[in-house]
């Protein structure tokens, strides 16, 4: 038996856990969230991704109950959450600062919310023990927050947030304070814990790699709107706009005009240069402005012109970004357009074929690029 794919958003019979219906949030004249409707499903790891000031934190604060929508409705399990105060919602929020009590031990920090709910002592002890095990903190139960590392403090905050078994856990830039290596380890830990508990996680982040790593779906935001909400693979491979293509990963965007030709389009992009070719399901009018978005790993770099390839352009190496396992070549065409090509470094540095100022050919297939509307 293969594992069933987790895609509740593709099943019309599954009811979403969270429904935003025409939600607008204004602060004075400023529109922070602009008439947004979208769904989040139970057991999803949903990421709100975007630059500072795009509205992602406002979305989260409305879910937590710290802000109310100016217009529209937010439903949690079919119930309008606006009248329910934050402490009565089946929602918990983990802050970037972790907000741990410095004078309480790890055990007491995790037990804090349960004690406030006046749970029986044996139930509290049992739940704290479960949380310590889940976050691998058993050995640190008696320590105070300042006696453990940043990564461990983050796990305490997570254990405390999950102790009350919320339906929904909100994570606000939860890895902002961790260094790169620890961030990576923690991302996988978070995914593991989310899967084990089956809690719905919504994470706010401006780190595209983080969102792409942890989330079942990513909502890319700009100016209070979700531009595209989709699986990481689809956001990367089939962006719906130049904004999304440009926001996620490295990309080359070539501006041109599309003309229908056979089963695809010819793209005129530079005076005196043969057109580029692209295949797409979208329909363009002849002469319509378009953008061709190409990921650098889909662009081959060679010394000679490759045979039998339509999309082959010649240019000069302007820059080389060496990333250890990868090298990205920035190649300038005669018209000033720069195209990136990325290759895996299987050879030692001294054996590389190309260097600065070399003239090279770049090529890619007709299906490698995504044709987007102008």
């Amino acid at each position: 038996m293969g594992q069933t794919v987790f895609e509740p958003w593709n099943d019309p019979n599954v009811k979403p856990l969270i429904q935003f219906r025409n939600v607008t949030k204004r602060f004075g004249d400023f529109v922070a969230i602009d008439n947004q409707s979208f769904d989040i499903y139970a057991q999803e790891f949903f990421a709100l991704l975007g630059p500072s000031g795009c509205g992602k934190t406002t979305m989260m604060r409305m879910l937590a109950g710290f802000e109310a929508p100016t217009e529209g409705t937010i439903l949690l399990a079919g119930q309008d959450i606006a009248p329910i105060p934050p402490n009565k919602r089946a929602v918990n929020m983990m802050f970037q600062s972790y907000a741990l009590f410095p004078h309480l031990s790890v055990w007491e920090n995790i037990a804090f919310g349960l004690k406030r709910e006046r749970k029986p002592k044996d139930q509290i002890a049992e739940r704290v023990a479960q949380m310590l095990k889940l976050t691998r903190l058993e050995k640190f139960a008696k320590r105070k927050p300042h006696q453990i590392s940043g990564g461990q403090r983050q796990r305490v905050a997570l254990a405390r947030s999950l102790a009350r078994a919320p339906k929904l856990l909100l994570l606000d830039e939860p890895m902002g304070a961790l260094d790169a290596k620890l961030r990576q380890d923690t991302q996988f830990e978070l995914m593991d814990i989310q899967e084990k508990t089956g809690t719905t996680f919504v994470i706010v982040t401006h780190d595209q790699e983080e969102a792409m790593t942890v989330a079942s779906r990513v909502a890319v935001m700009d100016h209070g709107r979700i531009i595209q909400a989709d699986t990481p693979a689809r956001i990367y491979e089939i962006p719906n706009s130049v904004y999304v293509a440009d926001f996620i990963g490295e990309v080359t965007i070539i501006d041109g005009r599309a003309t229908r030709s056979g089963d695809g389009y010819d793209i005129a992009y530079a005076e005196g240069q043969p057109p580029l070719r692209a295949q797409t399901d979208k329909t363009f009018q002849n002469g319509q402005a378009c953008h061709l978005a190409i990921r650098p790993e889909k662009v081959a770099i060679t010394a000679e012109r490759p045979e039998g390839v339509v999309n082959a352009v010649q240019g000069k190496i302007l820059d080389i970004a060496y990333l250890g396992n990868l090298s990205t070549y920035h190649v300038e065409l005669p018209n000033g357009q720069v195209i990136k090509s990325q290759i895996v470094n299987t050879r030692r540095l001294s054996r590389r074929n190309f260097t600065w100022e070399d003239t090279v050919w770049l090529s890619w297939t007709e299906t490698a690029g995504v044709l987007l509307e102008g």
Side-chain angles (χ1 to χ4, degrees), residues 60-76:
M60 180 166 277
R61 288 178 63 80
M62 287 193 289
L63 277 170
F66 303 134
E67 303 285 354
T70 312
E71 289 159 25
T73 316
I74 302 171
L75 303 175
L76 176 65

Side-chain angles (χ1 to χ4, degrees), residues 16 28 64 86 92 104 108 134 142 151 162 197 202 225 263 265 287 293 297 313 362 367:
N92 225 330
L104 298 181
E108 290 163 327
L134 179 70
K142 291 192 168 70
L162 288 169
T197 59
V202 175
R225 305 180 82 117
D263 59 352
Y265 288 89
E297 71 274 13
V313 293
L362 300 180
T367 53

Side-chain angles (χ1 to χ4, degrees), residues 183-260:
R183 265 184 108 121
Q184 218 168 19
D185 294 346
T186 308
Q187 285 166 10
F188 290 112
E189 261 174 18
L190 260 188
M191 292 160 74
D192 192 40
I193 288 167
Q194 190 268 336
E195 211 167 286
K196 279 180 180 153
T197 59
T199 310
T200 306
F201 278 24
V202 175
I203 185 172
V204 155
T205 180
H206 64 270
D207 182 329
Q208 39 157 337
E209 234 172 80
E210 184 163 288
M212 299 290 274
T213 302
V214 301
S216 54
R217 284 190 306 155
V218 177
V220 182
M221 292 189 65
D222 185 33
H223 290 100
R225 305 180 82 117
I226 290 176
I227 309 299
Q228 184 173 1
D230 220 328
T231 61
R234 287 180 63 85
I235 285 220
Y236 187 83
E237 296 288 349
I238 320 168
N240 67 359
S241 60
V242 170
Y243 177 79
V244 172
D246 208 17
F247 196 79
I248 303 281
E250 289 221 34
V251 71
T252 298
I253 310 270
I254 300 173
D255 300 336
R257 296 202 170 272
T259 305
R260 187 88 211 175

Side-chain angles (χ1 to χ4, degrees), residues 331-350:
V331 177
E332 188 176 21
L333 307 189
N335 71 330
Q337 171 79 50
V338 175
I339 297 181
K340 297 175 196 166
S341 167
Q342 196 171 66
I343 57 169
V344 179
N345 293 327
T346 51
R347 306 170 123 193
R348 304 285 304 172
L349 212 49
S350 57

Side-chain angles (χ1 to χ4, degrees), residues 4 7 50-51 63 79 94 102 130 139-140 167 202 217 236 256-257 266 292-293 304 308 321 330 360 364 372:
T4 53
E7 289 183 342
L63 277 170
Q79 185 181 18
M94 182 175 141
Q130 282 173 353
K139 293 203 293 262
F140 306 98
K167 278 198 180 102
V202 175
R217 284 190 306 155
Y236 187 83
R257 296 202 170 272
D266 285 345
L292 184 65
E304 306 295 325
H330 295 228
V360 292
W364 61 92
L372 299 164

Side-chain angles (χ1 to χ4, degrees), residues 233-341:
R234 287 180 63 85
I235 285 220
Y236 187 83
E237 296 288 349
I238 320 168
N240 67 359
S241 60
V242 170
Y243 177 79
V244 172
D246 208 17
F247 196 79
I248 303 281
E250 289 221 34
V251 71
T252 298
I253 310 270
I254 300 173
D255 300 336
R257 296 202 170 272
T259 305
R260 187 88 211 175
S261 166
D263 59 352
Y265 288 89
D266 285 345
I267 299 136
Y269 73 102
E271 204 66 37
Q273 292 293 325
L276 302 171
R277 291 268 311 154
Q279 290 185 7
T280 180
D281 297 338
K282 296 195 191 79
T283 306
F284 289 81
Q285 305 302 317
N286 282 346
Q288 187 179 337
C290 65
H291 307 281
L292 184 65
I294 319 161
R295 298 290 180 192
E297 71 274 13
K298 294 183 169 64
V299 178
I301 182 168
T302 49
E304 306 295 325
R305 182 185 171 116
E307 285 180 29
V309 181
V310 179
N311 295 322
V313 293
Q314 195 177 32
K316 197 164 71 169
I317 295 177
L318 198 64
D319 261 321
I320 305 170
Y322 174 68
L323 300 167
N325 58 335
L326 302 168
S327 287
T328 305
Y329 293 87
H330 295 228
V331 177
E332 188 176 21
L333 307 189
N335 71 330
Q337 171 79 50
V338 175
I339 297 181
K340 297 175 196 166
S341 167

